[in-house]
């Protein structure tokens, strides 16, 4: 082992953050570019299902909240692309890979938001699941990624609370509103559980990522934390979880849940989910329509550079 490698491993062991100028194994760098890049894409694609509801939100207050939330997600994406750039990742290249289907984004954003209850449930459950994962990532071994997560988690926490507040209104509402909420929970519960990735014995990247403390908790540990946290929230709403196998396990002190449909998950990440095509098409269109903005911004930057030279 080289001296550089010994210094790197010692930092990992002592939980001293790895910084952009520090030596790091090539595979560590590539793993991070992959994970941070996919995380950034998820934030950017994740704007679509909610942006779809900004004009239809039921009040000015709800529109303003949703607009702010969707803007936050764009900011998270930019933060994360910047973090990937500190590792030598190229923002343009990463984005093109996502458009070509060569890089993934979170499976959850390939499900449609059919009604207003879905928007509350996305804020509450999807952002709730994202926080569980991202709080752990605040201690990830790569400094810029960990620091980006701290700010992102603060905003995600607001997103989760606004979602829960929106669903409490429906839960206290008319019979139709309650039904609408239950229907949304039924459709989102299982896809949300897959956000944490495949089970540990089917997760090819976990062992190395955990050894390097890129991941602090395994996919199954994060999923379990989410289930344990969320069951009581669903009960407080007077709603049901669509899992007849869900039960409290006295010996392990946690909830056991039913079998996840991993075939569906694999299909979604292969590009065959309900909205995969629509999401990529929307982003490709936005990219093409933005050509003139990129040209104008580049011309302006060149002019400024010439002036200061
Ligand atoms: N959706 C899409 N792809 C997924 C998902 C998912 N929910 N879960 C796992 N995958 C992919 C992995 O990216 C990997 O594919 P790749 O090797 O081609 O890159 C493959 O499935 C196997 O999974 P793992 O070996 O478990 O992959 P990994 O160690 O990267 O763990 C995880 C997956 C937990 C999602 C990790 O990458 C992570 O923590 N990422 C950061 C958080 C994040 O991206 N959140 C996005 C949603 S939150 C939001 O945007 C609001």
């Amino acid at each position: 082992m080289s001296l550089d490698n010994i210094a790197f491993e010692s930092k990992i062991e002592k939980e001293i953050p790895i910084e952009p100028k520090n030596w790091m194994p090539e595979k560590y760098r590539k793993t991070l570019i992959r994970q941070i890049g996919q995380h950034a894409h998820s934030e950017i694609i994740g704007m679509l299902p909610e942006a779809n509801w900004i004009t239809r939100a039921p009040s000015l207050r709800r529109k303003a909240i949703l607009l702010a939330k969707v803007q936050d997600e764009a900011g998270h994406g930019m933060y994360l692309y910047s973090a990937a750039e500190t590792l030598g990742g190229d923002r343009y290249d990463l984005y093109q890979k996502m458009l070509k289907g060569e890089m993934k984004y979170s499976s959850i954003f390939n499900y449609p938001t059919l009604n207003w209850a879905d928007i509350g449930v996305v804020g509450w459950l999807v952002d709730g699941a994202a926080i569980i994962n991202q709080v752990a990532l605040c201690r990830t071994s790569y400094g810029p990624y960990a620091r980006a997560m701290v700010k992102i988690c603060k905003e995600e926490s607001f997103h989760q609370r606004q979602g829960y507040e929106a669903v409490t209104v429906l839960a206290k509402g008319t019979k139709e509103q309650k039904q609408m909420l239950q229907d949304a929970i039924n459709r989102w519960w299982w896809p949300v559980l897959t956000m944490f990735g495949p089970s540990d014995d089917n997760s090819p990247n976990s062992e190395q990522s955990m050894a390097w403390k890129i991941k602090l908790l395994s996919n199954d540990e994060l999923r379990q934390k989410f289930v344990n946290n969320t069951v009581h929230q669903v009960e407080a709403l007077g709603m049901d979880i669509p899992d007849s196998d869900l039960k409290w396990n006295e010996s392990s002190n946690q909830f056991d849940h039913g079998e996840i449909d991993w075939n569906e998950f694999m299909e979604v990440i292969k590009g065959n989910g309900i909205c995969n095509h629509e999401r990529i098409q929307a982003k490709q269109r936005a990219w093409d329509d933005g050509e003139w903005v990129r040209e104008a911004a580049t011309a302006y930057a060149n002019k400024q550079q010439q002036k200061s030279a």
Side-chain angles (χ1 to χ4, degrees), residues 31 34-36 38-44 46 73 76 102 104-109 126-127 129-131 133-134 137 145 149 156 191 194-199 202-206 209 215 217 219 222 265-266 268-269:
T31 300
R34 174 187 65 79
Q35 178 168 325
I36 299 173
Q38 292 185 355
H39 196 163
H41 300 331
S42 305
E43 302 282 357
I44 297 298
E73 307 294 2
H76 298 173
E102 292 166 11
K104 299 185 173 79
Y105 58 86
S106 182
S107 50
I108 198 68
F109 301 119
V126 173
D127 290 57
I131 297 176
N133 181 312
Q134 292 174 158
L137 287 173
Y145 191 22
M149 282 300 116
E156 294 290 6
T194 66
M195 282 176 72
F196 301 97
S199 55
N202 275 318
S203 162
N205 301 301
S206 276
S209 289
K215 287 167 83 164
L217 294 173
N219 298 1
L222 291 167
F265 170 73
M266 290 314 292
V268 175
I269 66 171

Side-chain angles (χ1 to χ4, degrees), residues 99-299:
L99 290 179
K100 284 191 224 142
E102 292 166 11
M103 264 184 101
K104 299 185 173 79
Y105 58 86
S106 182
S107 50
I108 198 68
F109 301 119
N110 293 308
Y111 291 86
T113 41
L114 301 180
N115 60 42
W116 176 248
D118 286 34
I119 298 302
V121 168
V122 166
W124 164 41
L125 294 183
V126 173
D127 290 57
I131 297 176
I132 300 268
N133 181 312
Q134 292 174 158
V135 163
L137 287 173
C138 290
R139 292 185 296 119
T140 189
S141 56
Y142 186 58
Y145 191 22
R147 289 190 288 275
M149 282 300 116
V150 174
K151 180 162 191 287
I152 290 176
C153 280
K154 285 185 188 161
E155 293 181 350
E156 294 290 6
S157 160
F158 154 70
H159 298 170
Q160 197 265 352
R161 279 153 202 244
Q162 69 79 34
Y164 195 67
E165 192 268 336
V167 295
T168 53
V169 173
L170 296 175
K172 288 183 203 144
T174 62
K175 191 167 149 253
E176 287 76 14
Q177 285 172 315
K178 287 179 186 164
Q179 270 170 357
M180 194 163 85
L181 176 57
Q182 184 61 59
D183 168 61
I185 296 172
N186 292 349
R187 282 180 292 105
W188 287 92
W189 177 257
W190 291 102
V192 166
L193 292 193
T194 66
M195 282 176 72
F196 301 97
S199 55
D200 293 349
D201 44 3
N202 275 318
S203 162
N205 301 301
S206 276
E207 194 182 342
Q208 183 60 77
S209 289
M210 290 191 74
W212 278 330
K213 297 185 185 163
I214 291 174
K215 287 167 83 164
L216 277 303
L217 294 173
S218 77
N219 298 1
D220 286 335
E221 283 170 331
L222 291 167
R223 190 168 12 252
Q224 189 63 54
K225 251 179 186 285
F226 172 79
V227 172
N228 291 347
N229 282 0
T230 312
V231 170
H232 300 301
Q233 295 170 16
V234 180
E235 283 169 0
L237 292 169
M239 295 287 135
D240 295 317
I241 292 180
D243 178 357
S244 53
D245 293 326
L246 187 86
K247 59 175 181 313
W248 179 251
N249 183 327
E250 287 291 346
S251 56
S252 62
N253 229 8
Q254 60 189 24
F255 284 98
D256 290 338
H257 60 78
E259 192 54 41
I260 292 170
D261 184 349
W262 292 116
N263 289 335
E264 176 176 318
F265 170 73
M266 290 314 292
E267 281 305 309
V268 175
I269 66 171
K270 270 196 273 172
N272 303 325
I274 308 172
C275 298
N276 294 62
H277 181 67
E278 184 184 326
R279 300 291 184 238
I280 293 296
Q281 211 179 28
K283 282 296 160 197
Q284 183 65 57
R285 199 167 45 239
W287 177 262
D288 296 342
D289 290 350
E291 179 71 44
W292 69 272
V293 180
R294 288 190 297 278
E295 266 174 27
T298 310

